[in-house]
């Protein structure tokens, strides 16, 4: 090659491109990798999750325990799935998380691989018998930063048994606030819970009311279909009633779009409508339809440990990072 002939980099510049050759990168001494990109974070998450390690460059822990209620009276919108996977993702991000299963079906307990047979210390004992929260908490075997209060089938009759109880709607709130690891960083220290997730049944009964009185934040999972929007107005009316009469601290802080199918115009229209109405409350991350997310509970796992490389797991990881970074809303 003649010494006057342009190099590969010079030819790229002359063509108006901005690509660097391997020689350019070697000469500059810089790395071609950028660990701040979503793809790089995803790759890091997969490697660390498969070896049981926490994700690096995790978001900071909140100054106080954030009690987040996950509710939607419509079934099949991904409420329990979002609860367990966000909790698992936050624990992988270094947060200390407690999940309270308030659904008599016990699906969250199944996904987190904790025993919830009849007779197991559970949310029934917490609400009906007045047991202390410390006495009904169990460890999640897959994730060391995650604790669980399971739900048994006994919880199905709790609403009837609580009818005659004084202050029946605030029993969960009192139990959570009495726990020694719930509170501010100054009062409790580094051992505190960062997040308490309450998984509600698909109804607006007394169990869900207990959760709404106990929480400061509310997350609403919404399936990217028009049916999922129909009952949203009723749910928000219930939230306003609770705010007016029982819990002024409650606010809808997070809306998560689930089962998003990017191939359909319907999903895009629903997402656009939700974002137009709720603005920044809606997470930027949307959870796609994923077979792996649905398969994971059959193996008593969340998708975060079952298949950390799947699109569903990576979406929940990014959603959890958004929640942790966004922080609690100011009232």
């Amino acid at each position: 090659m003649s010494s006057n002939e342009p190099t590969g980099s010079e030819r790229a510049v002359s063509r108006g491109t901005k690509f660097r050759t391997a020689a350019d990168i070697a000469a500059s001494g810089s790395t071609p990798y950028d660990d701040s990109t979503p793809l790089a974070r995803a790759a890091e998450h997969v490697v660390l999750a498969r070896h049981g390690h926490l994700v690096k460059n995790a978001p900071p822990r909140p100054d106080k325990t954030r009690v987040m209620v996950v509710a939607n009276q419509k079934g099949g919108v991904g409420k329990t799935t979002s609860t367990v996977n966000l909790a698992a993702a936050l624990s992988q991000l270094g947060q200390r998380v407690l999940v309270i299963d308030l659904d008599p079906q016990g699906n969250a307990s199944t996904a987190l691989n904790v025993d919830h047979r009849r007779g197991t210390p559970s949310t029934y004992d917490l609400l009906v018998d007045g047991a202390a929260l410390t006495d009904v908490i169990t460890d999640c075997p897959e994730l060391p930063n995650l604790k669980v209060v399971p739900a048994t089938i006994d919880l199905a009759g709790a609403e009837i048994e609580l009818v005659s109880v004084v202050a029946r709607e605030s029993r969960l709130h009192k139990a959570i606030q009495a726990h020694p690891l719930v509170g501010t960083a100054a009062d409790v220290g580094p051992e505190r819970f960062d997040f308490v997730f309450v998984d509600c049944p698909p109804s607006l009964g007394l169990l869900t009311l207990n959760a709404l009185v106990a929480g400061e934040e509310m997350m609403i999972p919404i399936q990217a279909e028009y049916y999922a929007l129909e009952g949203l107005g009723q749910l928000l009316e219930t939230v306003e009633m609770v705010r007016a009469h029982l819990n002024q601290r409650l606010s809808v802080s997070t809306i998560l779009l689930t089962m998003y199918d990017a191939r359909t115009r319907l999903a895009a229209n629903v997402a656009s409508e939700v974002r137009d109405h709720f603005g920044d409350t809606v997470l930027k991350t949307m959870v796609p339809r994923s077979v792996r997310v649905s398969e994971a509970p059959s193996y008593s796992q969340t998708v975060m440990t079952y298949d950390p490389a799947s699109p569903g797991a990576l979406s929940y990881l990014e959603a959890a990072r958004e929640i942790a970074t966004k922080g609690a809303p100011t009232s």
Side-chain angles (χ1 to χ4, degrees), residues 7-12 15 18-28 32:
T7 64
S9 297
E10 290 171 341
R11 286 195 298 270
R15 292 195 299 269
K18 298 181 180 179
F19 298 109
R20 294 190 299 168
T21 65
D24 296 330
I25 295 172
S28 66

Side-chain angles (χ1 to χ4, degrees), residues 30-250:
S30 63
T31 173
Y33 306 110
D34 180 4
D35 59 6
S36 68
T37 64
L39 184 60
R41 288 200 302 268
E44 177 191 55
H45 163 68
V46 171
V47 173
L48 293 175
R50 284 179 172 165
H51 289 82
H53 300 301
L54 298 177
V55 173
K56 298 177 181 177
N57 301 320
R61 298 175 64 187
D63 294 332
K64 66 173 184 176
T65 304
R66 296 174 59 183
V67 182
M68 184 170 286
V69 179
V70 185
N72 192 332
Q73 80 272 23
K74 186 182 186 307
V77 298
K79 186 169 60 277
T80 297
T81 300
S82 296
T83 300
V84 297
N85 285 303
L86 286 173
L90 284 166
S91 71
Q92 290 176 336
L93 289 170
Q95 310 286 318
R96 294 173 58 84
V97 185
L98 171 65
V99 173
I100 299 177
D101 190 354
L102 213 58
D103 188 344
Q105 298 177 85
N107 291 335
S109 306
T110 298
L112 296 173
N113 196 21
V114 297
D115 187 14
H116 58 103
R117 292 172 294 179
R118 176 167 283 174
T120 303
S122 66
T123 46
Y124 175 85
D125 304 282
L126 193 71
L127 294 178
V128 177
D129 296 335
L133 187 57
T134 52
D135 295 335
V136 295
I137 290 179
T138 186
D139 295 329
C140 175
E142 300 289 339
L143 298 158
N145 278 348
L146 183 56
K147 309 289 184 182
V148 187
V149 180
T152 64
I153 192 62
D154 295 328
L155 195 60
E159 294 198 8
I160 298 174
E161 296 182 60
L162 288 173
V163 167
S164 59
V165 176
V166 176
R168 57 187 178 271
E169 69 279 347
S170 60
R171 292 177 73 85
L172 181 61
H173 171 67
K174 292 178 180 178
I176 292 175
Q177 296 305 316
H179 194 280
L181 297 184
V182 172
T184 64
D187 294 335
V188 181
E191 296 301 314
R192 71 189 181 279
F193 286 122
D194 298 307
F195 288 86
V196 175
F197 281 94
V198 183
D199 182 40
C200 297
S203 68
L204 294 179
L206 191 53
L207 293 177
T208 300
L209 183 61
N210 258 270
L212 295 177
V213 173
E216 294 184 359
E217 302 180 55
M218 181 177 180
M219 184 181 79
I220 305 176
I222 298 179
Q223 185 180 358
E225 294 183 3
Y226 275 113
Y227 277 143
L229 299 177
E230 286 191 338
L232 192 56
Q234 183 183 356
L235 178 61
L236 295 177
E237 287 179 7
T238 303
V239 171
E240 287 304 315
M241 289 177 60
V242 171
R243 279 175 55 87
H245 301 288
L246 297 170
N247 181 10
Q248 296 181 352
R249 301 167 290 107
L250 181 65

Side-chain angles (χ1 to χ4, degrees), residues 267-310:
N269 290 342
V270 172
S272 177
E273 187 173 328
V274 172
R275 292 188 189 281
D276 288 344
H277 188 75
F278 294 101
D280 293 338
T281 304
V282 186
L283 295 182
K284 295 178 181 177
T285 305
M286 297 181 289
V287 180
R289 287 190 177 275
S290 173
V291 174
R292 307 300 272 178
V293 171
S294 302
E295 285 178 350
S298 64
Y299 294 90
S300 296
Q301 293 187 59
T302 67
V303 74
M304 307 307 299
T305 55
Y306 176 65
D307 189 357
S310 66

Side-chain angles (χ1 to χ4, degrees), residues 41 44 55-59 90 93 316-326:
R41 288 200 302 268
E44 177 191 55
V55 173
K56 298 177 181 177
N57 301 320
L90 284 166
L93 289 170
Y316 274 118
L317 181 71
E318 285 301 309
R321 196 184 294 273
E322 272 193 74
I323 292 172
T325 303
K326 199 158 84 167

